[in-house]
Amino acid sequence: MDGVTVTRLAELVAGGGVAVLSGAGLSTESGIPDYRGPTGRARPAEPMTYQRFTGSAEARQRYWARSHVGWRQIGRARPNAGHRAVAELERRGLLAGIVTQNVDGLHQAAGARRVIELHGGLDRVVCLSCRERTPRADLERRLRAANPGWEAAAAAINPDGDAVLTDAQVAGFQVVGCTACGGMLKPDVVFFGENVPRARVDECFALVAGARLLLVLGSSLTVRSGLRFVTKAASLGIPVAIVNQGATGGDADASLTLDAPLGPTLTDLTARLPVPAQ
């Protein structure tokens, strides 16, 4: 770890008003895989698209069977040292807020409060007809009841909680509908091919525009979803600091970059900051 760079980062963060943008790399130490890893090369995963999900009963059966298995790992995941460090920065009054690209809820589980879930959360389910939102735990109970004796071991778990299963394992899995209207249920997350709600994007832009520093944690910034906030900060003259394993799409706009593991680096960062008087 580059101690000199961490010291420079601490000097930037100490001034407060920090907007955090977090990505999948922050959750890898909690056992949740990311999309690219340190090399920046995409992992061999084929995420579900909104168009396939809504257009095919077979696709929905495959998704919910795989997600039913994958949720066991996502649901058991616990915050790591990086999440706890971010929550501590918020507790010390140094953060303006957190925008997370992750759908695992680990920032909140670590104690952070001002969190905008850019892509939603896997712990909720939404009906595409009546828009009622219900806890994922309720759906999991209903899926177990609808599929007594069904068990499947996953070959791998994708970053969005989608387990890798064979066609034979998926066959016969029963999908359930909304208890209120019978409509199609979808996890309350933004699928590929689906737009983030405009109001949510505007809220994120406002947070970044009002910040003194944008701190990017564990995001490769290879897609516009996260990169646009770095571009916005740079256009406003707001410094950008990036901590990630591997190069990112925002490095050219960054005042400081640090290629290092998130948990140890953020723990070191908080240790270098003064603790506010009680």
Side-chain angles (χ1 to χ4, degrees):
M1 189 185 303
D2 185 344
V4 174
T5 306
V6 177
T7 297
R8 288 176 54 210
L9 179 59
E11 291 169 352
L12 288 171
V13 172
V18 180
V20 168
L21 172 64
S22 69
L26 186 62
S27 292
T28 56
E29 293 169 36
S30 294
I32 299 175
D34 61 6
Y35 284 100
R36 295 183 180 270
T39 66
R41 184 175 300 170
R43 300 190 190 280
E46 183 185 356
M48 177 62 68
T49 68
Y50 182 80
Q51 292 74 19
R52 284 206 308 273
F53 185 87
T54 56
S56 167
E58 181 181 358
R60 290 191 294 277
Q61 179 194 44
R62 180 172 66 87
Y63 176 84
W64 281 120
R66 291 164 58 128
S67 187
H68 184 51
V69 174
W71 173 249
R72 299 171 192 169
Q73 179 168 333
I74 302 296
R76 287 196 303 264
R78 294 295 176 263
N80 62 52
H83 297 111
R84 293 192 294 272
V86 172
E88 176 63 16
L89 293 177
E90 183 187 76
R91 189 188 70 80
R92 295 187 190 184
L94 297 173
L95 300 190
I98 302 164
V99 176
T100 185
Q101 297 171 272
N102 301 336
V103 295
D104 51 39
L106 293 179
H107 275 301
Q108 297 93 320
R113 294 290 173 260
R114 296 188 297 277
V115 182
I116 304 172
E117 293 180 311
L118 183 63
H119 297 146
L122 278 175
D123 62 339
R124 305 179 300 275
V125 178
V126 61
C127 173
L128 296 183
S129 295
C130 72
R131 308 307 299 180
E132 181 179 61
R133 284 173 168 80
T134 52
R136 177 65 177 260
D138 292 352
L139 175 63
E140 289 301 311
R141 285 192 290 269
R142 296 179 60 213
L143 288 174
R144 286 195 297 270
N147 296 277
W150 186 88
E151 286 292 338
I157 304 291
N158 290 330
D160 54 3
D162 182 22
V164 177
L165 301 178
T166 66
D167 290 343
Q169 288 173 307
V170 170
F173 187 83
Q174 298 298 311
V175 177
V176 299
C178 174
T179 56
C181 73
M184 185 188 305
L185 294 178
K186 171 184 169 290
D188 194 14
V189 300
V190 178
F191 279 174
F192 285 83
E194 186 179 8
N195 293 323
V196 178
R198 185 71 243 178
R200 193 182 304 167
V201 174
D202 290 343
E203 185 182 7
C204 294
F205 273 127
L207 173 63
V208 171
R212 196 189 57 80
L213 171 72
L214 176 60
L215 176 59
V216 181
L217 302 175
S219 177
S220 61
L221 300 172
T222 55
V223 295
R224 181 175 176 274
S225 179
L227 181 60
R228 56 186 163 179
F229 301 117
V230 172
T231 303
K232 179 66 172 181
S235 72
L236 295 173
I238 298 168
V240 177
I242 301 174
V243 184
N244 187 63
Q245 289 195 276
T248 82
D251 288 353
D253 285 323
S255 306
L256 178 150
T257 62
L258 183 55
D259 187 337
L262 277 295
T265 301
L266 294 175
T267 300
D268 186 14
L269 169 66
T270 57
R272 293 168 186 257
L273 294 167
V275 178
Q278 299 297 321

